[in-house]
Amino acid sequence: MSEQNSPNRRLAAILFTDIVGYSKMMQEDEENAILLLDKHSEICESHISNYRGRLIKKIGDSNFVEFSSAVDAVQCGISIQKNLRDYNSNQDNKNQIWMRIGIHIGDVIEKDSDIFGDGVNVASRIEPLADKGGICISNEVYRSISAQKDILTASLGEYELKNIVEKWHIFRVFLDKDEYQSWAEKSFSQKKIFQRKSKTLKRV
């Protein structure tokens, strides 16, 4: 195989987005769903460009994006979700756009302007784990951004990813201190409830 046609292998940060409930939106009001998809693309593409990302392709209501830096990928994801949160605050339920984002850094191969490899596969499996309006990242991404004190994260534990070998340690990324504080308080409350139930069961 000539060097010109050989695949280009490299390490890359891969970001996947997906609109929550888009199939239902299409069923209920196809015309409005298409308008919202256009608005979603407008918001996403401006942030992708700002953080030096490369939109590999759109897959329905999803974006498949490559970054050379995990920090850029995560900061782009945070900016997109913040922008959508602000947008949604001024819209009724029908016109809101909620997204999930998943990010992984790994080995990829580029061929014919497309990208393949474990880095892509893992990122696509992490995205569905994110909450509505949220971001999930792999342990590899977490290690790359851990020195960034302005990026708030929390461990969600280990997950099995569909068609991916072994369990993967997944982290949640928070959009700001308020979101992190709300999550921490809720988690603490749930932990206390679980501890009380455990003590009751032990006594029984």
Side-chain angles (χ1 to χ4, degrees):
M1 183 182 291
S2 68
E3 289 188 11
Q4 185 175 1
N5 295 324
S6 62
N8 175 20
R9 185 184 294 273
R10 62 179 177 276
L11 195 67
I14 303 298
L15 178 150
F16 269 92
T17 75
D18 184 63
I19 298 178
V20 178
Y22 191 72
S23 296
K24 184 179 179 182
M25 291 163 65
M26 284 289 287
Q27 291 174 354
E28 292 177 348
D29 189 338
E30 188 175 275
E31 184 177 349
N32 189 56
I34 292 172
L35 290 174
L36 293 177
L37 181 61
D38 289 341
K39 181 63 179 178
H40 146 273
S41 295
E42 176 190 326
I43 291 172
C44 288
E45 288 171 22
S46 66
H47 290 286
I48 290 167
S49 176
N50 288 342
Y51 287 93
R52 297 167 290 281
R54 181 165 74 106
L55 180 62
I56 303 301
K57 59 184 172 183
K58 296 180 181 180
I59 310 168
D61 58 299
S62 301
N63 288 319
F64 169 16
V65 189
E66 177 196 15
F67 295 84
S68 60
S69 158
V71 173
D72 282 345
V74 173
Q75 288 181 334
C76 179
I78 292 171
S79 293
I80 289 172
Q81 294 290 37
K82 281 184 174 180
N83 196 328
L84 284 173
R85 184 177 64 182
D86 292 342
Y87 168 82
N88 288 335
S89 68
N90 296 314
Q91 305 295 324
D92 57 26
N93 290 338
K94 183 181 178 182
N95 291 312
Q96 291 181 354
I97 306 169
W98 294 98
M99 271 194 350
R100 295 186 179 95
I101 293 178
I103 306 171
H104 176 59
I105 186 168
D107 209 29
V108 300
I109 298 172
E110 180 171 2
K111 191 175 187 305
D112 299 329
S113 299
D114 204 349
I115 290 180
F116 309 89
D118 286 343
V120 177
N121 297 336
V122 173
S124 68
R125 301 306 187 198
I126 290 174
E127 173 267 307
L129 300 178
D131 288 337
K132 173 179 166 180
I135 304 168
C136 278
I137 61 174
S138 65
N139 190 46
E140 288 73 11
V141 174
Y142 171 75
R143 287 203 298 264
S144 296
I145 68 168
S146 58
Q148 305 295 316
K149 302 305 180 185
D150 58 325
I151 300 178
L152 300 172
T153 61
S155 171
L156 298 180
E158 292 188 333
Y159 284 78
E160 290 185 355
L161 305 180
K162 185 178 179 181
N163 298 328
I164 304 293
V165 177
E166 299 178 350
K167 290 185 177 181
W168 289 75
H169 197 162
I170 303 300
F171 290 79
R172 173 174 174 173
V173 176
F174 298 92
L175 305 190
D176 50 39
K177 290 182 179 179
D178 289 340
E179 186 182 65
Y180 175 78
Q181 184 68 27
S182 176
W183 177 87
E185 290 173 356
K186 183 178 179 181
S187 296
F188 180 77
S189 176
Q190 289 175 338
K191 184 178 179 180
K192 286 296 184 182
I193 292 171
F194 176 77
Q195 288 174 343
R196 286 198 298 269
K197 285 182 177 179
S198 295
K199 290 178 180 178
T200 301
L201 288 171
K202 285 179 181 178
R203 285 197 298 270
V204 171

